């Protein structure tokens, strides 16, 4: 089966390798997740950014699923805007300029939802599966913007522990929920949400 790193429950058609116009339709805070780097187990707060692809493949076929929805692709990032963080480098490439100190302090990832870009997609093979990965994200050239940008098709997707809204979590795919529920942030949230235990027999006001 050909799959992409989407975290969705529905089967995806593999996004073709190459450069494609795309629109970001989702940002999801995954909480702290474990991963392997150079053979070493590590943990970091992560997020997933999701894009829908627009245009055609090399054979002139629309980048759509059978039901007409655009192909989707997503990528995990460490949730950090530190100088060497991949997320920061991606955002700089996407917006075409560096952040000012003031922009960094007040930057909200929600602002990238609905933003167009150019995605460079590469393929990676693991066993019998081929994965589509986001290699680079760059700004849409001015010449393409003049021709008109496509409208976002997918429903806006957003979830963050920092702005926790239960309905936003409930709207996520089961796959994404499963990942999030493995995080310590989710466990801490559940502990806060638990009602305090009240012993019905520990009340001096109840007469014998």
């Amino acid at each position: 089966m050909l799959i992409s790193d989407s975290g969705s429950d529905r089967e995806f058609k593999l996004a073709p390798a190459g450069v494609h116009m795309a629109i970001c339709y989702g940002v999801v805070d995954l909480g702290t997740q474990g991963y392997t780097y150079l053979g070493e187990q590590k943990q970091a707060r992560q997020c997933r950014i999701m894009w829908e692809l627009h245009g055609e493949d090399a054979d002139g076929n629309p980048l759509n699923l059978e039901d007409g929805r655009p192909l989707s692709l997503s990528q995990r990032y460490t949730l950090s805007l530190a100088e060497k963080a991949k997320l920061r480098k991606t955002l700089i490439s996407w917006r075409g300029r560096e952040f000012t100190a003031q922009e960094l302090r007040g930057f909200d990832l929600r602002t990238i939802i609905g933003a167009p870009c150019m995605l460079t997609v590469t393929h990676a093979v693991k066993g019998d599966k081929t994965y589509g990965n986001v290699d680079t994200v760059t700004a849409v050239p001015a010449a393409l913007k003049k021709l008109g940008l496509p409208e976002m098709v997918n429903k806006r997707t957003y979830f963050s522990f920092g702005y926790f809204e239960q309905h936003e979590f409930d709207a996520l795919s089961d796959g994404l929920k499963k990942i999030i529920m493995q995080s310590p942030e989710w466990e801490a949230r559940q502990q806060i949400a638990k009602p305090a235990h009240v012993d019905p027999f520990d009340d001096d006001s109840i007469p014998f």
Side-chain angles (χ1 to χ4, degrees), residues 80-99:
S80 169
L81 292 179
E83 185 176 357
K84 295 183 179 181
K86 183 178 179 180
L87 177 59
R88 177 171 172 173
K89 293 177 179 179
T90 296
L91 293 172
I92 290 171
S93 173
W94 188 344
R95 71 207 301 257
R97 66 181 190 280
E98 178 60 273
F99 285 98

Side-chain angles (χ1 to χ4, degrees), residues 16-20 73 118-122 133-138:
V19 181
H20 308 287
L73 196 65
M118 304 301 295
L119 288 188
T120 300
V121 179
T122 58
N133 296 316
V134 176
D135 184 47
T136 58
V137 186
T138 56

Side-chain angles (χ1 to χ4, degrees), residues 35-184:
Y35 65 100
T36 303
Y37 180 71
L38 298 178
E40 185 179 350
Q41 293 294 319
K42 294 180 176 291
Q43 286 194 326
R45 185 75 171 267
Q46 296 184 341
C47 68
R48 190 188 294 274
I49 299 179
M50 299 179 285
W51 294 270
E52 59 182 37
L53 305 184
H54 292 266
E56 300 177 340
D57 62 19
D59 297 321
N61 301 311
L63 298 176
N64 292 343
L65 297 169
E66 291 183 3
D67 61 8
R69 288 175 298 168
L71 294 184
S72 295
L73 196 65
S74 69
Q75 192 75 20
R76 281 200 199 195
Y77 295 90
T78 296
L79 192 52
S80 169
L81 292 179
E83 185 176 357
K84 295 183 179 181
K86 183 178 179 180
L87 177 59
R88 177 171 172 173
K89 293 177 179 179
T90 296
L91 293 172
I92 290 171
S93 173
W94 188 344
R95 71 207 301 257
R97 66 181 190 280
E98 178 60 273
F99 285 98
T100 65
Q102 183 177 357
E103 286 174 336
L104 278 177
R105 284 194 297 271
F107 187 75
D108 189 336
L109 272 178
R110 286 178 291 186
T111 61
I112 69 175
I113 299 177
C117 63
M118 304 301 295
L119 288 188
T120 300
V121 179
T122 58
H123 287 171
V125 179
K126 293 183 181 180
D128 62 344
K129 296 179 180 179
T130 301
Y131 296 83
N133 296 316
V134 176
D135 184 47
T136 58
V137 186
T138 56
V140 177
L144 288 181
K145 285 184 178 179
K146 289 181 180 179
L147 296 176
L149 295 172
E151 294 185 1
M152 188 169 76
V153 175
N154 282 290
K155 183 179 179 181
R156 179 186 185 276
T157 300
Y158 180 76
F159 172 76
S160 171
F161 283 105
Y163 304 93
F164 188 90
E165 293 288 349
Q166 186 64 46
H167 69 91
E168 291 177 334
F169 175 79
D170 293 340
L172 299 176
S173 70
D174 289 343
L176 282 173
K177 288 177 185 175
K178 183 177 180 180
I179 294 171
I180 292 168
M181 291 169 69
Q182 296 172 350
S183 71

